[in-house]
Amino acid sequence: MSQKLFVSAQEVAEKAGVSRSAVSRTFTSGASVSPKTRQKVLDAAEALGYHVNHLARGLMRNESGIVCLIVSEIGTPYRSALLGALTQQLQNSGKISMLINTDRSDGSVDLALRQAIRYRADASIILSGLPDKSITDLCLKNGQRLVLINRDDDREGPLKINIDDADAAARIATAFVRAGCRKLAFANSQAGTPSLMARERGFVAAARALGLDVVVERFGHTGYESGRAVAQQLLTRKERPDAVFCATDLLACGFMDAARHQFSISVPDQICVAGFDDIEQASWSSYGLTTFAQPVDMIAREAVSWLVAETAQPENHTVRLHADLVWRTSIRGG
């Protein structure tokens, strides 16, 4: 015999000996209902295992409470931390998170998003610069509120949250020079996302302003193994760099391991290294990586507060956040 999955409000009303409307008022914040009736309804609901159908209530108001999180590279420490902060903020605001993985570039992403739209998702948050811009168009076309994180889309309507990557790059270039470094390099992946390229351009521009050139190497995906590969490219050059700014901490960890274990190069005595994101591994004693801390909690607060605000929010609004420099031991004098 199959078990019934849902208990209706009418069944609660019958068990409590009250009207259907009394059940509705009991579970509606601020509604008028006597203490005696409320207790009878709550006791009946507890006995039957009744839960309010918030989805049905929301759809009556043309709201589902569902927010899509559109994300790539879920397994990376930074993306995982950002997902954790966003889902917690959404839960605290009474929203439901729906995750859409965009690592694959085939039609499955479009299909998943269209399915979410059929569930009447109210809004979407795009967590990185990797998903195609057609996804942004699809969200807006279907009337969703939209938050873009670390992207350069020029669409009107979404909230855009970006980190001041150029400022961070300029600060780390100055730190290298103060550590006595003069042969600078930038280690990047081939992902080409707006945030990664902004760090690259900012670092090159800041170094040139200081009278120094920068060697740029890019390889593969934005991960540990790519950092090792970039290290092999840079450290086999006729003139090795004495300082490397890596676009992310994962790249930096791979770079440092290759420098030490394949080339017997001491960090920071022979080469200084910096990263970006301040993932947990950056603080491990085996790395001691000087890096920039992504303000994940602030990003999540800005995104969710804009989405759930009851009053109309300004369209085409941009929030630019500051990344704090976290000094450790991978730069001399840090």
Side-chain angles (χ1 to χ4, degrees):
M1 183 177 177
S2 61
Q3 184 180 4
K4 187 176 181 180
L5 296 179
F6 299 104
V7 176
S8 70
Q10 183 60 43
E11 290 173 284
V12 176
E14 292 171 358
K15 185 172 182 62
V18 300
S19 66
R20 170 66 178 77
S21 62
V23 175
S24 178
R25 292 197 305 275
T26 297
F27 291 101
T28 300
S29 178
S32 176
V33 61
S34 71
K36 183 179 179 180
T37 298
R38 181 186 299 278
Q39 192 58 54
K40 290 169 67 175
V41 171
L42 292 177
D43 290 343
E46 178 69 21
L48 293 172
Y50 170 74
H51 298 280
V52 178
N53 189 337
H54 287 292
L55 180 58
R57 282 191 172 187
L59 291 178
M60 291 175 64
R61 303 190 304 268
N62 202 29
E63 296 176 358
S64 67
I66 297 172
V67 177
C68 296
L69 300 176
I70 303 171
V71 58
S72 61
E73 299 176 334
I74 296 174
T76 63
Y78 162 66
R79 201 77 72 216
S80 176
L82 183 54
L83 274 175
L86 282 167
T87 52
Q88 187 62 60
Q89 287 287 333
L90 288 168
Q91 286 169 200
N92 292 345
S93 300
K95 301 298 183 181
I96 302 167
S97 304
M98 180 180 288
L99 183 65
I100 297 179
N101 185 338
T102 65
D103 281 342
R104 294 172 61 180
S105 58
D106 58 19
S108 64
V109 175
D110 184 78
L111 181 63
L113 183 55
R114 291 182 185 278
Q115 185 175 16
I117 290 169
R118 285 195 291 270
Y119 276 97
R120 306 284 186 88
D122 298 329
S124 288
I125 303 175
I126 301 182
L127 275 69
S128 71
L130 191 57
D132 190 87
K133 291 185 178 182
S134 62
I135 291 178
T136 304
D137 293 333
L138 183 58
C139 293
L140 293 174
K141 182 180 178 181
N142 283 273
Q144 288 190 350
R145 303 198 73 193
L146 188 60
V147 176
L148 307 175
I149 299 175
N150 290 329
R151 291 176 66 88
D152 61 355
D153 298 54
D154 56 1
R155 310 301 198 276
E156 292 185 2
L159 170 68
K160 303 178 182 69
I161 302 176
N162 293 304
I163 307 300
D164 196 341
D165 295 293
D167 174 70
R171 281 186 284 157
I172 208 66
T174 300
F176 283 151
V177 170
R178 288 176 177 171
C181 304
R182 295 295 181 271
K183 294 176 285 186
L184 310 186
F186 188 85
N188 206 347
S189 72
Q190 292 177 323
T193 63
S195 56
L196 297 181
M197 298 310 296
R199 288 166 209 165
E200 179 181 309
R201 290 192 299 270
F203 186 66
V204 171
R208 286 177 178 167
L210 294 169
L212 300 173
D213 290 326
V214 176
V215 175
V216 176
E217 287 287 356
R218 308 185 192 99
F219 185 87
H221 299 292
T222 314
Y224 176 88
E225 290 300 330
S226 292
R228 290 176 60 90
V230 171
Q232 292 163 2
Q233 293 172 343
L234 287 171
L235 299 179
T236 54
R237 296 173 64 91
K238 183 177 181 180
E239 186 174 51
R240 288 176 173 171
D242 58 9
V244 179
F245 182 26
C246 298
T248 72
D249 287 353
L250 277 182
L251 289 170
C253 290
F255 185 96
M256 292 174 72
D257 281 344
R260 288 166 169 163
H261 303 305
Q262 290 184 268
F263 296 92
S264 299
I265 294 174
S266 174
V267 178
D269 297 329
Q270 293 174 282
I271 190 169
C272 292
V273 181
F276 202 104
D277 288 339
D278 195 30
I279 63 176
E280 179 185 356
Q281 292 84 343
S283 66
W284 292 358
S285 57
S286 55
Y287 295 112
L289 179 63
T290 296
T291 183
F292 290 91
Q294 290 259 22
V296 292
D297 290 333
M298 190 177 298
I299 291 172
R301 286 195 300 271
E302 291 282 352
V304 176
S305 63
W306 187 83
L307 285 178
V308 304
E310 294 183 2
T311 57
Q313 297 296 296
E315 292 193 350
N316 219 27
H317 182 51
T318 299
V319 174
R320 189 169 297 277
L321 300 176
H322 176 81
D324 290 329
L325 181 58
V326 181
W327 282 102
R328 296 194 177 100
T329 58
S330 64
I331 297 180
R332 294 187 294 275

